[in-house]
Amino acid sequence: MSDIRDEVAAGFQEIYGSAPLGIWSAPGRANLIGEHTDYNEGFVLPFAINRRTVVALGAREDGVIRVASAFADEVAEIALSELAPERLRDWSAYPLGVAWALGQYGADLGAVPGVDLYIESTVPVGAGLSSSAAIESAVAVALNEVWQLGLSLQTLARVGQLAENKAVGAPTGIMDQSASLLGRHDQAVFLDCRSLESELVELGFADAGLELLVIDTGVSHDHSTGGYAARRASCELGARLMGVPALRDLGVEDLPRARDVLDDETFRRVRHIITENQRVIDTVTALRTEGPLAIGDLLYDSHISMRDDFEISVSELDLAVETAQANGAIGARMTGGGFGGAAIALVPSEGISRIQVAIDGAFAEHGFSQPTMFTVTASDGAGRN
Ligand code: GLA
C-alpha cells in the first residue's frame, strides 16, 4: 500500500503544484453471502478486501472542489454551493456526489473550505468488488474529517448510498459502503440493513488452511441500468402483495402463502430473498460454532438461488462456480449485484492452483474470455492513510 500512497501524493503534487494535507483510503468489498437482501432491509455478510482506493486531499481558500485521478484525463471543477446531482457525470459523479450528499446530511456547503482531491485505486472496476463504494467511502471519511462534520460511519454509509442513488443513478442498497467503512482484518461485517446495527464475525480462513479466490469473469455489469432496478421493483411488489413493509418481515414459514398470493416470477424473487436472509444467519452461526469449513453448502445454495430464483447469474459465473465446486472448493457463488462481475470460491490453499487451471480450461473450452483470478483477504475499513 505504501507504493500507491506515494503515487497518489506524487500525482496530487503534479496536478495541483503542492503537497496534500493528508491521505485517506477505503477498501472494496467481497460479499460472502446475502445478495440483494440489503434493499429488502435484511441481512448481509460482506467483508472489506485488501484492494483500496486512496485519496489525497488539499484544502483551498475558496469554495471550489476539484477532482483529478490517474484514471481520468480531465480535472473536474465546480463550486461546492453549485453541486446538484443532475450536474454530475462520468466518474467524477462519485466523489462530487459524496460532497453533495454530505450537504444533505448537514454540511454547510456554502461555508466549508474548498478542496482539491486526487484519487487512485487498486480495486478492479466492474468486477463486482465495489470500486464505487471504495471511492465514496474514501472521499466521505476525508471530507468528514477536514470539514469537521463528526458524522458516524453509519451515517457516512448513508451518504455514500445517497451519492450512488442520486448522483450516479444506481438504485443500490447500503451493503457496499457499510463493508468499506466498517470492515476489519480477518472479520466479516454482519449487518442488519434495517437498523444498521452490525457485528464483526471472525472468518478464520487462514487458520483453517483456506483462501478466498475471486474469479472475475470480465463480463461487465452496470447497476444504473435494467436488471438491478427490475429485481428491486419485483421485491417491492412482492412485499406490497404480501402486506409487509419489506421482504425482511417474511420468513420461510410464509413461503406457502407467498406461493398462493404471488405470480410465479414474483414468488421466485421473494423466495430468494427469504431463503438468502436465512442463509446469512446460518452462515454466521456456522462460522461462530464450527468455522469456515462448515459454510460451503450455504455458499453454493446461495448461488443456485440466484441462478434459478432471482435469475441474476450469467453462464460465465455459473461455469466458474461449477468448476470450482467440482475441483475441490469448499463452496462457491457469484458475488455482488450480478449480471456479470465476479464469483468467489472458498478453497483449500494447497488446491488453489488446480482450481485455477480447471477454471481457465473450462472457460477456454466454452469459448469464454479468460477470467482474471486473485485471492483476497479481509482487511480494515476506511480511514486516514
Ligand atoms: C450491489 C449493490 C448492493 C447490493 C448488491 C447485491 O453491489 O450496490 O447494494 O444490493 O448489489 O447484493
Side-chain angles (χ1 to χ4, degrees), residues 37-253:
T37 43
D38 61 354
Y39 56 78
N40 289 295
E41 301 184 18
F43 302 103
V44 292
L45 191 63
F47 60 90
I49 60 172
N50 54 329
R51 302 276 192 124
R52 296 180 86 83
T53 293
V54 180
V55 53
L57 179 150
R60 299 169 57 87
E61 303 280 297
D62 58 12
V64 166
I65 180 168
R66 293 194 289 179
V67 291
S69 162
F71 46 80
D73 295 334
E74 285 177 16
V75 181
E77 173 172 341
I78 185 168
L80 285 163
S81 57
E82 284 171 19
L83 282 169
E86 61 279 5
R87 301 193 58 172
L88 308 179
R89 282 154 295 95
D90 306 329
W91 80 273
S92 64
Y94 293 94
L96 295 176
V98 166
W100 165 79
L102 284 167
Q104 304 297 302
Y105 277 86
D108 183 352
L109 296 182
V112 291
V115 285
D116 288 331
L117 305 175
Y118 184 84
I119 298 171
E120 260 199 53
S121 184
T122 60
V123 186
V125 174
L129 298 174
S130 287
S131 53
S132 53
I135 297 183
E136 290 152 7
S137 302
V139 172
V141 288
L143 293 179
N144 189 41
E145 187 173 332
V146 171
W147 288 347
Q148 300 182 354
L149 302 174
L151 299 174
S152 69
L153 294 178
Q154 284 77 7
T155 304
L156 294 182
R158 289 275 185 230
V159 164
Q161 185 192 14
L162 185 64
E164 181 110 13
N165 291 171
K166 299 290 186 215
V168 181
T172 48
I174 194 74
M175 169 170 74
D176 304 343
Q177 295 79 7
S178 301
S180 181
L181 287 156
L182 300 170
R184 282 285 163 268
H185 174 71
D186 201 27
Q187 319 255 338
V189 180
F190 176 35
L191 177 71
D192 179 333
C193 299
R194 173 169 277 168
S195 66
L196 292 196
E197 277 166 24
S198 62
E199 290 171 25
L200 294 171
V201 180
E202 188 87 29
L203 288 169
F205 292 161
D207 288 347
L210 299 176
E211 293 194 57
L212 207 284
L213 179 67
V214 172
I215 306 127
D216 178 4
T217 62
V219 179
S220 71
H221 64 286
D222 178 357
H223 298 325
S224 53
T225 57
Y228 187 97
R231 294 305 177 279
R232 192 167 178 156
S234 286
C235 290
E236 284 161 7
L237 174 68
R240 206 161 53 244
L241 294 174
M242 289 295 286
V244 288
L247 292 183
R248 144 69 175 277
D249 298 301
L250 300 176
V252 282
E253 66 283 1

